[in-house]
Amino acid sequence: TEQTSHKKGTAPSWYEEFNLSVWDLEESVVAQVYDWDKDENHRFLGEVRIPLEELAYAEEGITDKEYDLVDQEDDNNKPCISLRFTFREVQCIGEVTVLVERARGLPRMDTFGLSDPFCAISVGKSERHKTQVMRRSLNPEWNEEFVYNVEEGARELKIVLYDWSVTKEEDFIGQVVFSVDSLQQTPFIDDWFRLKSIDGSAEVKGE
């Protein structure tokens, strides 16, 4: 699941790109649109479902068109969304499952001395997944699991912690990076890891 947001407007432009791994062409890509609410009571505006087979067999693997949004009663509304898909086959060298359990001892990032942390996980150039935001916590617990196909040529698994904010862009807290080679040599890892700086040269507060 990937998400993006655009504040204030009835004709938003995102121009954001997401990479998704697929296993079964009988499934569909689902894009849902919500009206954002600061109290997280987001209002559903509509969705579109595109069969993967339609995308896989498109000319040169590219689909670029506008889709009508459908509401919960399956009624077509006037609103629509413009999406561009590029489908390509890749060679994979394996599969990795990442269970993001919890963090502890995170730095205070907010004015009131707390943080709103979440994790962003990626493997090589594959899709970037995000955990839920844990509001007002320095010792968050997620227990969220993500599964990746590891593409040939992928070099690292990266887990980055950010502090979420309603008024500004996400703030970097720290990261943990594993080389794909090390994952192949040690298939099962279950431990605490100190967070590193954005360039990986130094340890930062938290693990």
Side-chain angles (χ1 to χ4, degrees):
T1 302
E2 295 286 353
Q3 63 182 20
T4 183
S5 62
H6 189 284
K7 303 293 178 63
K8 297 182 180 179
T10 57
S13 297
W14 292 285
Y15 295 103
E16 295 192 37
E17 181 177 296
F18 304 100
N19 294 306
L20 305 174
S21 295
V22 298
W23 294 269
D24 187 353
L25 289 183
E26 294 183 0
E27 299 292 336
S28 297
V29 177
V30 181
Q32 296 181 322
V33 181
Y34 291 84
D35 179 37
W36 183 87
D37 180 80
K38 66 181 179 66
D39 295 320
E40 298 188 1
N41 296 315
H42 312 312
R43 184 168 64 90
F44 178 78
L45 298 179
E47 69 176 20
V48 58
R49 293 176 179 267
I50 306 101
L52 285 173
E53 281 192 349
E54 176 183 320
L55 304 179
Y57 298 118
E59 185 176 354
E60 298 184 357
I62 297 175
T63 303
D64 190 352
K65 59 186 292 188
E66 287 189 350
Y67 297 89
D68 291 332
L69 292 175
V70 178
D71 64 19
Q72 291 173 325
E73 285 74 36
D74 291 333
D75 294 327
N76 285 331
N77 295 319
K78 288 183 178 180
C80 61
I81 185 170
S82 178
L83 300 171
R84 178 184 173 91
F85 296 94
T86 301
F87 187 93
R88 62 188 179 92
E89 294 185 7
V90 297
Q91 296 295 321
C92 295
I93 60 175
E95 180 182 276
V96 61
T97 300
V98 182
L99 174 61
V100 183
E101 295 181 294
R102 57 194 182 276
R104 63 189 179 191
L106 298 182
R108 304 175 189 275
M109 303 291 289
D110 297 341
T111 304
F112 300 104
L114 293 173
S115 295
D116 301 312
F118 70 94
C119 295
I121 307 97
S122 60
V123 181
K125 295 181 179 179
S126 63
E127 69 264 38
R128 179 177 183 255
H129 285 141
K130 295 180 181 179
T131 65
Q132 296 295 312
V133 175
M134 294 291 106
R135 304 295 294 273
R136 295 179 288 279
S137 177
L138 301 180
N139 302 286
E141 293 192 18
W142 292 284
N143 291 309
E144 295 187 43
E145 185 175 276
F146 307 95
V147 180
Y148 295 88
N149 278 335
V150 182
E151 297 182 10
E152 203 170 70
R155 295 184 177 181
E156 59 187 24
L157 160 66
K158 184 178 291 187
I159 303 172
V160 186
L161 271 74
Y162 294 99
D163 176 53
W164 177 87
S165 173
V166 68
T167 59
K168 58 183 179 181
E169 293 187 5
E170 54 202 30
D171 286 333
F172 177 86
I173 295 177
Q175 65 178 351
V176 178
V177 179
F178 302 90
S179 71
V180 170
D181 287 343
S182 69
L183 297 177
Q184 290 177 308
Q185 294 170 11
T186 310
F188 180 77
I189 302 174
D190 185 6
D191 206 346
W192 288 95
F193 299 91
R194 288 303 303 263
L195 297 178
K196 295 291 187 69
S197 59
I198 198 167
D199 62 1
S201 63
E203 291 186 348
V204 296
K205 186 177 176 60
E207 57 183 350

